[in-house]
Every structure is written in C-alpha cells, then in structure tokens.
C-alpha cells in the first residue's frame, strides 16, 4: 500500500487512557512527518491542550484523509464506521482495553503497527454493512450498522411477534424476546450470545437470530447478503424497539415495517499479513479450548 501522509484520530474521550496515549501518537506522527487531524469532539474537550493540530469538521474531510485511527473499544469503532458512510478511508482500531474484534490492535502493539502503516506494510479488508429501511407513518427512516440490528418489545417482559420474509418468501412467524439481524462482523457479538453461528468476515451474508425463542424449532438462519429481509408485526405491541449497533434507538409501532439488506458500500479495515482471525477467536473467547477439569 502507499505510505500515508495524513490521518485522523477518532477516540473515546471519556477514557483516561485516551488522553494518556494521544500525546504519544502525536509525537510519533511528528517524527514520521505524517499530519494528524483531530475531531472537533477531541479539540473542544476540556482535557485537550493541543492547539496546533488541524481539525476534522465534516465527514467529507474524513474522506480526504489517508486513514483514520480509532482509539477506544469496539463501540468507538462502530460509531466511526456508521459516521463514515460511503467514504473509503481505511480504519485502524486501537483497543485501549483488552483485544477487540474490530479495534484489534492493543496498546502494547500500537507503535509496531503504526510503523507498519507508515511504510505501507498493511492490507485492506473490506467489511459489509447492513442497511435498514423503516417505514413509519408514511416516512422512510434509514440506518446502517456494521454489527447488527436488534428488534424487541419495548416492554421487556412481553414477547415480540414478528413475521419474517426473505425475498418475499415467508420464513417464519417468530415469537421470541427479540430478533437480531447481524452481519458477519456482528456474528461474534450479540448474535453469538443468543446462539447464532460465527460467520467469518469474508462470507457475504446476513444472520437472523431469535433471542429466547418461544419455540424449540426457531433456529438461527444464514442468508445471502443480497437478500431482502422484511419484518412486520402482526400482533399488537405497545412499542417495538429497534436498535442499530447497540447505539442508535428507534421506537416503532405495529404498523411499521423494517426492510434489511446489505448496504450499497463496504468499509475498509487496515489489517496485517500476520493477523489471524481465528487466533483472535482463540485469544478473546477461548475458542476451541477445553475447560479445566
């Protein structure tokens, strides 16, 4: 890859570790002759004492940078992925805690990986996003998600009834605590905890997973990414809650419908030749390891 000349920083400004790490990264960038840009959220923060860095004031300015550095956890990464929309600026995630699935570089490896990026010694991995179109009171509301969309009854003690169709074919009338529609990226998140499969990022697909289904025959379903999934709600609910990536919330009523497809664009993640998805599974989740005893 071409060595970068500019990059932007997007971070979780509520973490002390962010403010501890930021000066070190700016010093590294200065030594490498790479111009760092900071979001206005960072520059306007009460703990920020930096004056000389150019600011990022729009999504188009993100699109003009050579890469984006995310300092935080997977949640911080998800917020940037949605904000970027169709812009193809590569993203490198630095997890300020333990190893993450999206922010896969740890503080320990931070400058080793940044040095690789500075010399162009990295690869790009494309990740699919899902798009939801909600029909509500005659309006169309659109959201994108890198991980998943979750639907549940607004009253947690009541069951959600949802009819699911794929490409106009009836799949099932689900009765469950909720439904998750996940991307392969999101298959290791909430969908997995609800019993869904792990799907590697290279497999273009969408995963439909009921949560606490009220039928033993309701099982997770994997469909091609170019499928059109339509959810409707045949029974009366007080409120239906729609959540994108665990961060964006919409309140729906039973007259609403939700259409989910893959997005028209993918995002670029910075990766490295020696990174191993299955190693991350083993490290983060104890995947494939036998328990003690």
């Amino acid at each position: 890859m071409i060595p970068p000349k500019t990059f932007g920083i997007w971070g979780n400004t509520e973490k002390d570790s962010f403010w501890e790490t930021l000066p070190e990264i700016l010093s590294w960038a200065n030594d490498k002759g790479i111009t760092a840009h900071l979001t206005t959220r960072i520059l306007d923060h009460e703990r920020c004492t930096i004056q000389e860095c150019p600011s990022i004031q729009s999504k188009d300015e993100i699109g003009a940078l050579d890469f984006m550095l995310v300092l935080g956890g997977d949640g911080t990464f998800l917020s940037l992925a949605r904000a970027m929309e169709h812009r193809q600026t590569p993203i490198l995630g630095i997890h300020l805690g333990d190893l993450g699935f999206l922010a896969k570089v740890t503080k320990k490896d931070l400058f080793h990986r940044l040095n690789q990026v500075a010399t162009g010694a990295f690869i790009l991995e494309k990740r699919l996003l899902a798009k939801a179109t909600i029909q509500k009171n005659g309006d169309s509301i659109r959201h994108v998600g890198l991980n998943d969309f979750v639907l549940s009854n607004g009253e947690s003690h009541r069951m959600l009834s949802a009819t699911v169709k794929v490409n106009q074919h009836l799949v099932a009338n689900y009765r469950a605590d909720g439904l998750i529609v996940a991307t392969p990226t999101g298959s290791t998140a909430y969908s997995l905890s609800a019993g869904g499969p792990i799907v590697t990022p290279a497999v273009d697909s969408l995963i439909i997973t009921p949560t606490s289904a009220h039928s033993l025959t309701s099982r997770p379903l994997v469909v091609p990414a170019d499928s059109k999934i339509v959810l409707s709600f045949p029974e009366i609910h007080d409120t239906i809650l729609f959540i994108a990536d665990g961060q964006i919330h919409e309140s729906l009523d039973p007259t609403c419908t939700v259409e989910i497809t893959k997005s028209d664009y993918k995002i670029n993640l910075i990766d490295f030749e020696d990174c191993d998805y299955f190693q991350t599974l083993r490290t983060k989740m104890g995947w494939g390891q036998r328990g003690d005893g």
Side-chain angles (χ1 to χ4, degrees):
M1 303 297 298
I2 299 174
K5 297 180 179 178
T6 62
F7 73 104
I9 297 178
W10 180 287
N12 184 345
T13 56
E14 304 309 308
K15 285 184 175 285
D16 290 339
S17 53
F18 170 80
W19 297 105
E20 295 163 2
T21 307
L22 181 60
E24 300 174 11
I25 292 173
L26 295 178
S27 177
W28 170 86
N30 185 60
D31 290 343
K32 297 294 183 181
I34 305 174
T35 304
H37 296 63
L38 303 183
T39 63
T40 53
R41 178 185 177 90
I42 296 171
L43 290 170
D44 293 342
H45 197 279
E46 60 183 9
R47 294 183 63 174
C48 185
T49 58
I50 299 158
Q51 302 295 332
E52 67 275 10
C53 281
S55 64
I56 301 171
Q57 301 190 32
S58 71
K59 295 177 182 179
D60 286 337
E61 290 182 0
I62 291 178
L65 296 171
D66 290 333
F67 75 96
M68 286 294 296
L69 186 66
V70 181
L71 296 170
D74 284 353
T76 311
F77 195 107
L78 289 167
S79 66
L80 173 60
R82 289 194 312 276
M84 285 186 58
E85 297 175 343
H86 61 276
R87 296 162 187 87
Q88 295 297 293
T89 304
I91 306 173
L92 177 63
I94 308 298
H95 208 296
L96 296 180
D98 296 326
L99 182 69
F101 278 104
L102 294 170
K104 62 180 73 174
V105 176
T106 61
K107 283 184 66 177
K108 179 183 67 174
D109 295 330
L110 171 57
F111 292 102
H112 167 63
R113 293 306 190 188
L114 283 178
N115 287 335
Q116 287 182 279
V117 173
T119 61
F122 62 93
I123 58 177
L124 294 182
E125 178 187 15
K126 291 189 176 294
R127 291 288 183 99
L128 175 148
L129 293 94
K131 176 176 69 175
T133 304
I134 300 168
Q135 300 299 332
K136 180 179 180 181
N137 299 327
D139 295 326
S140 290
I141 304 167
R142 290 180 174 82
H143 291 287
V144 294
L146 177 58
N147 260 4
D148 52 39
F149 300 127
V150 176
L151 291 106
S152 64
N153 198 306
E155 298 181 14
S156 59
H157 63 279
R158 295 190 62 186
M159 180 174 57
L160 175 75
S161 294
T163 297
V164 177
K165 293 184 177 180
V166 174
N167 297 335
Q168 300 183 341
H169 298 290
L170 176 65
V171 174
N173 295 304
Y174 284 96
R175 297 172 68 83
D177 285 0
L179 277 177
I180 307 164
V181 180
T183 65
T185 298
S187 71
T188 52
Y190 187 22
S191 175
L192 180 64
S193 69
I198 293 176
V199 179
T200 59
V203 180
D204 275 4
S205 57
L206 295 170
I207 304 107
I208 304 169
T209 306
T211 62
S212 300
H214 292 234
S215 169
L216 293 176
T217 60
S218 292
R219 291 289 182 263
L221 176 68
V222 180
V223 299
D226 57 2
S227 301
K228 181 186 294 184
I229 303 168
V230 177
L231 297 90
S232 58
F233 311 98
E235 296 187 12
I236 296 175
H237 301 76
D238 294 329
T239 302
I240 299 161
L241 191 60
F242 170 93
I243 307 172
D245 280 348
Q247 298 174 335
I248 304 297
H249 295 68
E250 292 276 359
S251 292
L252 312 183
D253 62 56
T255 66
C256 297
T257 60
V258 181
E259 178 184 295
I260 299 174
T261 62
K262 68 176 181 180
S263 175
D264 301 328
Y265 51 85
K266 294 185 177 182
I267 62 166
N268 288 312
L269 272 57
I270 289 178
D271 204 356
F272 305 94
E273 293 286 358
D274 61 336
C275 281
D276 181 345
Y277 178 82
F278 299 104
Q279 175 63 43
T280 303
L281 283 179
R282 291 192 297 272
T283 303
K284 187 170 177 64
M285 299 173 53
W287 180 257
Q289 298 177 18
R290 297 180 62 182
D292 292 336

